[in-house]
């Protein structure tokens, strides 16, 4: 089981929107040096929605090769078409990913039975560890705990990224989950609380800019050291809000640019961070000790 701080990695881009492979090297190396437990490549934060299929696969392969087995790489391979999700998941397995993260099918609003059949088909078709991903605020599709528990009975469905931020729901999942099924937070603001309830980690946006701190928070929470975890979390709690002042990954890519890791490149329909929001985020990075005054 993968535990701790799992970064939902950005996909760096040039000003014209082309993938910036040199900057991708830099951000991967940053996480290898700073204690991140695993890298999620081409999830929501990695702009999976705007990469074409070839680019999607190339980024996964590039990250797998750069990491070279030092930490696990989880490939974002979800889609709103079951067939497309199967193709991406099979490709990720072929390229050496350790597991796949599969967002609930978005836009078409499947029923709970449809979700079950979608994920069961994926698990039966591609033999790789698979992590469910529930983020109804972006997908307009909420996978309910009863459906999660049905899917948890399938051997290679090994966990869920629960991104509602609802700790009552998280506690229900933790209490009902079978042994070996991981509950990860997908909401930085409540991640520490979820881990202290018995969850296994955080698939994090904030970890893009503060990987060492997020790794230490997760480690303390996993050890049950709640007071120490809370104190450390206070040093970056403002970032959990400031990195979502516009749609992710707009703010986090701008923040990484301020830190010198990539340009401000991002793909339409996303645009660089709005001018009035830049100075408050810059001040937030200063407060967290991530850039100088």
């Amino acid at each position: 089981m993968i535990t701790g701080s799992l970064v939902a990695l950005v996909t760096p881009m040039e000003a014209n929107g082309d993938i910036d492979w040199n900057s991708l090297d830099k951000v991967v190396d940053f996480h290898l040096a700073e204690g991140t437990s695993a890298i999620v490549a081409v999830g929501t934060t990695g702009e999976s929605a705007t990469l074409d299929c070839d680019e999607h696969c190339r980024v996964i392969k590039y990250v797998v090769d750069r990491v070279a087995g030092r930490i696990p790489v989880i490939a974002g391979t979800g889609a709103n078409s079951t067939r497309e999700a199967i193709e991406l998941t099979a490709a990720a397995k072929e390229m050496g990913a350790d597991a796949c993260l599969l967002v609930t099918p978005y836009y078409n609003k499947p029923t709970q039975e449809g979700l079950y059949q979608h994920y069961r088909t994926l698990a039966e078709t591609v033999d790789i560890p698979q992590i469910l991903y529930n983020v109804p605020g972006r997908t307009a599709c909420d996978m309910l705990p009863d459906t999660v528990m049905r899917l948890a009975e399938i051997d290679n469905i090994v966990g869920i990224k629960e991104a509602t931020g609802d700790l009552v729901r998280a506690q229900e999942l933790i209490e009902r989950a079978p042994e070996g099924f991981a509950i990860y937070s997908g909401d930085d603001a409540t991640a520490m609380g979820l881990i202290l309830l018995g969850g296994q980690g955080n698939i994090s946006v904030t970890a893009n800019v503060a990987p060492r701190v997020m790794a230490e928070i997760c480690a303390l929470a996993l050890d049950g050291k709640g007071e120490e975890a809370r104190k450390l979390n206070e040093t970056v709690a403002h970032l959990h809000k400031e990195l979502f002042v516009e749609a992710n990954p707009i703010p986090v890519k701008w923040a990484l640019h301020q830190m010198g890791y990539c340009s401000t490149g991002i793909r339409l329909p996303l645009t660089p961070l709005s001018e009035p929001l830049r100075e408050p985020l810059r001040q937030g990075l200063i407060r967290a000790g991530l850039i100088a005054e």
Side-chain angles (χ1 to χ4, degrees):
M1 182 184 290
I2 301 168
T3 62
S5 178
L6 295 67
V7 65
L9 194 72
V10 300
T11 301
M13 294 176 182
E14 306 283 2
N16 65 359
D18 289 345
I19 295 171
D20 181 350
W21 302 103
N22 289 332
S23 291
L24 185 55
D25 284 344
K26 289 169 65 175
V27 294
V28 168
D29 291 349
F30 183 36
H31 290 285
L32 292 171
E34 294 292 298
T36 293
S37 298
I39 290 175
V40 177
V42 203
T44 303
T45 309
E47 291 178 76
S48 56
T50 58
L51 298 185
D52 64 35
C53 188
D54 178 64
E55 291 172 321
H56 196 123
C57 292
R58 287 173 64 203
V59 171
I60 293 169
K61 181 67 163 60
Y62 197 90
V63 173
V64 167
D65 289 347
R66 186 73 181 184
V67 170
R70 286 172 282 182
I71 58 175
V73 175
I74 301 166
T77 58
N80 60 352
S81 158
T82 304
R83 290 187 178 188
E84 181 180 350
I86 288 171
E87 290 175 4
L88 288 170
T89 304
K93 178 185 177 181
E94 180 70 22
M95 291 179 287
D98 296 284
C100 289
L101 178 69
L102 294 133
V103 70
T104 53
Y106 43 89
Y107 186 77
N108 47 21
K109 294 187 176 181
T111 63
Q112 295 300 304
E113 182 62 23
L115 288 171
Y116 175 77
Q117 296 295 342
H118 169 79
Y119 284 111
R120 188 187 75 171
T121 300
L122 276 159
E124 291 176 349
T125 305
V126 188
D127 185 16
I128 188 173
Q130 298 179 21
I131 300 169
L132 313 172
Y133 178 14
N134 188 44
V135 56
R138 294 193 78 126
T139 62
C141 174
D142 188 6
M143 183 161 48
L144 300 179
D146 285 346
T147 304
V148 176
M149 290 305 110
R150 288 179 72 194
L151 290 165
E153 296 175 2
I154 299 171
D155 286 347
N156 60 323
I157 296 181
V158 299
I160 182 170
K161 176 184 178 182
E162 176 56 52
T164 60
D166 181 348
L167 290 180
V168 174
R169 165 131 3 147
Q171 185 164 18
E172 178 183 354
L173 291 170
I174 290 164
E175 289 174 352
R176 294 178 62 185
E179 185 176 357
F181 186 83
I183 311 298
Y184 301 107
S185 174
D187 176 67
D188 282 305
T190 58
M192 180 194 65
L194 181 146
I195 298 170
L196 288 170
L197 288 171
Q200 281 67 47
N202 179 25
I203 299 178
S204 173
V205 175
T206 304
N208 277 282
V209 298
R212 183 170 296 279
V213 173
M214 293 305 295
E216 291 175 358
I217 291 167
C218 289
L220 289 168
L222 285 165
D223 285 343
K225 298 177 181 178
E227 188 60 33
E228 293 175 56
R230 290 184 185 94
K231 284 183 179 179
L232 188 56
N233 192 56
E234 287 173 3
T235 67
V236 291
H238 59 287
L239 290 177
H240 302 333
K241 297 178 181 180
E242 291 160 354
L243 291 173
F244 293 91
V245 290
E246 288 186 330
N248 178 45
I250 291 171
V252 73
K253 292 193 90 172
W254 190 87
L256 282 167
H257 170 63
Q258 292 297 296
M259 295 172 66
Y261 283 98
C262 62
S263 78
T264 58
I266 198 164
R267 283 194 184 173
L268 289 170
L270 300 180
T271 52
L273 187 66
S274 299
E275 186 70 40
L277 300 173
R278 295 179 182 182
E279 184 57 24
L281 180 51
R282 194 180 76 85
Q283 290 301 319
L285 296 173
I286 291 170
R287 283 177 59 198
L290 299 173
I291 60 172
E293 289 262 14

